[in-house]
Amino acid sequence: MKEGMQRRRIKVVDGRFQYRAIALALSVVLMGLVLFAAVAALWYLAARASGRAPDGQLLLIILPPLLVNDLAIMVVAIVAGITVTHRIAGPVFRIATDIDRTLSGERGVRVSLRRGDSLSELAEKVNALIERVDGKRAR
């Protein structure tokens, strides 16, 4: 790791935001599974109603790999969700902390984000705002 770069150990910075984003991704996967089950059930019922019942083995062959696939997608969604939301929640947490420090009267506060974090433009604007506030306090 390069000198001066900090690596955050805590991946869940804003649990409410991060868990909601992950829950949304997981609900999309679950809706896909429910949709598949509904189509399979309709297909089975339609075939039974027409007198040509489908081979029950076909569903037993298709369903386990589909469930394993959905489980794998859910695990990937959780890991990716934490990683991606951390790139947003971390900077928001850092900016909010530095704003609180400025509001409490501390001078010379600078928002510094890690390379690759989102919201770097916002951090620059907050730094400009803090400099202006510090300049007005000096008068």
Side-chain angles (χ1 to χ4, degrees):
M1 190 176 318
K2 291 185 179 180
E3 194 175 319
M5 286 188 60
Q6 296 176 353
R7 184 178 178 114
R8 256 186 225 131
R9 297 186 199 285
I10 299 171
K11 295 294 182 190
V12 179
V13 178
D14 184 354
R16 185 174 170 212
F17 166 73
Q18 289 181 270
Y19 292 139
R20 284 175 62 195
I22 293 167
L24 178 65
L26 290 178
S27 65
V28 169
V29 173
L30 287 174
M31 289 302 291
L33 181 61
V34 168
L35 181 62
F36 172 79
V39 168
L42 288 173
W43 172 75
Y44 180 79
L45 291 173
R48 268 189 92 180
S50 69
R52 54 181 217 294
D55 184 10
Q57 296 297 321
L58 182 63
L59 286 179
L60 292 176
I61 292 171
I62 293 174
L63 202 53
L66 179 72
L67 293 175
V68 170
N69 181 53
D70 279 351
L71 181 64
I73 290 172
M74 286 181 187
V75 169
V76 168
I78 290 170
V79 171
I82 288 175
T83 303
V84 170
T85 58
H86 181 71
R87 291 288 180 195
I88 297 170
V92 169
F93 178 79
R94 181 68 186 180
I95 291 169
T97 301
D98 290 339
I99 289 173
D100 287 341
R101 287 173 49 203
T102 301
L103 290 174
S104 70
E106 189 175 333
R107 296 179 54 116
V109 175
R110 295 277 305 158
V111 176
S112 60
L113 301 179
R114 295 172 303 154
R115 190 179 332 213
D117 275 345
S118 298
L119 307 176
S120 58
E121 291 177 11
L122 177 63
E124 291 173 14
K125 290 183 180 189
V126 169
N127 283 333
L129 180 63
I130 289 172
E131 287 175 16
R132 185 173 289 177
V133 167
D134 282 349
K136 288 190 177 189
R137 282 186 191 161
R139 291 179 191 174

